[in-house]
Amino acid sequence: MKRIAGLREIADQFDLFLIEQYGVLHDGVAAYPRTIDGLAKIAACGRKIIILTNSGKCAAANRADLHALGFAGSCLSGIVSSGDVALQCVKSGVLGPPFATGAAVCVIGDPDDRYAFSSDDFELVDQPQDAAFLVFAGSDIPRVSLRAYQDVLASPARAHVPAICINPDIATIRHGEIVPAAGAIARLYEDLGGAVEYIGKPHLLIFAHAIASAELQPGARLVMGDSPHHDVAGARPMGLSTLQVQSENYRHLPKCRLLRLCDRSDGVPDFVIPAFAW
């Protein structure tokens, strides 16, 4: 694990940058310092940039969110979200029945958000027990507690209603606080006896999809993220180089403690950087 001060030290080694947004580029409310300029400088070097995100929203919605935070779309070659990849898997039949278009679906998440599965492709139902399958897309915590989710999900779990988690993140940053995310609710459902399919980091399918979408000849790719488990450990089986950004979760950890944490997650990165900077 090599500590670097800025991306300029390694940018010429890679032709494709696969970058997480939450915790790396912004906190959901504002862009982190130097991130907008840093992306522009990567693009100016002729490198492709793809945002690779565990977001239950579609790519277009993520692009709109990034634009609202000041990120110029011209710097980005594309956005690959776990929500979009999951939707494509369902439409193509990769997951098999009952994950199919036209099915009755209950989308679990923030009611103020529109997710990839919140569409006319499905019959959207409000009650989980009425669904052919559940979609864990986001979290409404802290407005809804984990205990409340447990109470709501107990019945469909007993009825063996299958589920798909389209955002495997266990935690997210909301208003400066770390709160449980969709992945934590999906794990709760498994604890209740429900079966869950996962699409998104650290699972390999999203990495393969992102690389294919870049339409590049085989070359050196760098995955940049803030999670040893989701970003680094997920990228390693694909043979991808990794860089961990020490986000708010890990910023104050000394190198020895960070290394132990990464090792426990099987996610020791090739590089580590204190914050996104050119």
Side-chain angles (χ1 to χ4, degrees), residues 2-4 6-17 42 45-48 216-223 239-243 270-271 278:
K2 179 181 179 181
R3 185 175 292 272
I4 62 173
L7 292 168
R8 61 187 177 278
E9 299 177 34
I10 61 171
D12 61 351
Q13 300 178 31
F14 304 100
D15 56 1
L16 175 62
F17 287 72
I42 294 172
C45 293
R47 272 52 180 175
K48 278 196 170 185
L216 290 172
Q217 295 297 317
R221 291 79 162 92
L222 179 71
V223 172
L240 306 173
S241 297
T242 54
L243 184 154
D270 298 294
F271 308 97
W278 178 252

Side-chain angles (χ1 to χ4, degrees), residues 232-253:
V232 179
R236 289 183 65 185
M238 297 287 295
L240 306 173
S241 297
T242 54
L243 184 154
Q244 181 172 338
V245 180
Q246 285 186 260
S247 66
E248 295 179 27
N249 296 346
Y250 312 107
R251 189 156 293 161
H252 303 296
L253 289 182

Side-chain angles (χ1 to χ4, degrees), residues 90 98-108 117-118 121-128 130-135 164:
V90 169
F99 302 108
T101 55
V105 171
C106 181
V107 179
I108 309 295
F117 281 71
S118 304
D121 291 319
F122 304 94
E123 178 192 347
L124 300 178
V125 297
D126 295 327
Q127 301 303 319
D130 295 334
F133 67 92
L134 309 181
V135 177
I164 179 172

Side-chain angles (χ1 to χ4, degrees), residues 39-74:
L39 288 178
K41 288 182 176 176
I42 294 172
C45 293
R47 272 52 180 175
K48 278 196 170 185
I49 301 169
I50 290 179
I51 301 300
L52 181 59
T53 178
N54 273 1
S55 168
K57 299 179 184 179
C58 65
N62 278 280
R63 187 179 294 277
D65 290 343
L66 285 167
H67 281 191
L69 294 175
F71 291 92
S74 60

Side-chain angles (χ1 to χ4, degrees), residues 93-115:
V94 168
L95 299 180
F99 302 108
T101 55
V105 171
C106 181
V107 179
I108 309 295
D110 187 333
D112 297 330
D113 284 335
R114 183 172 177 82
Y115 298 102

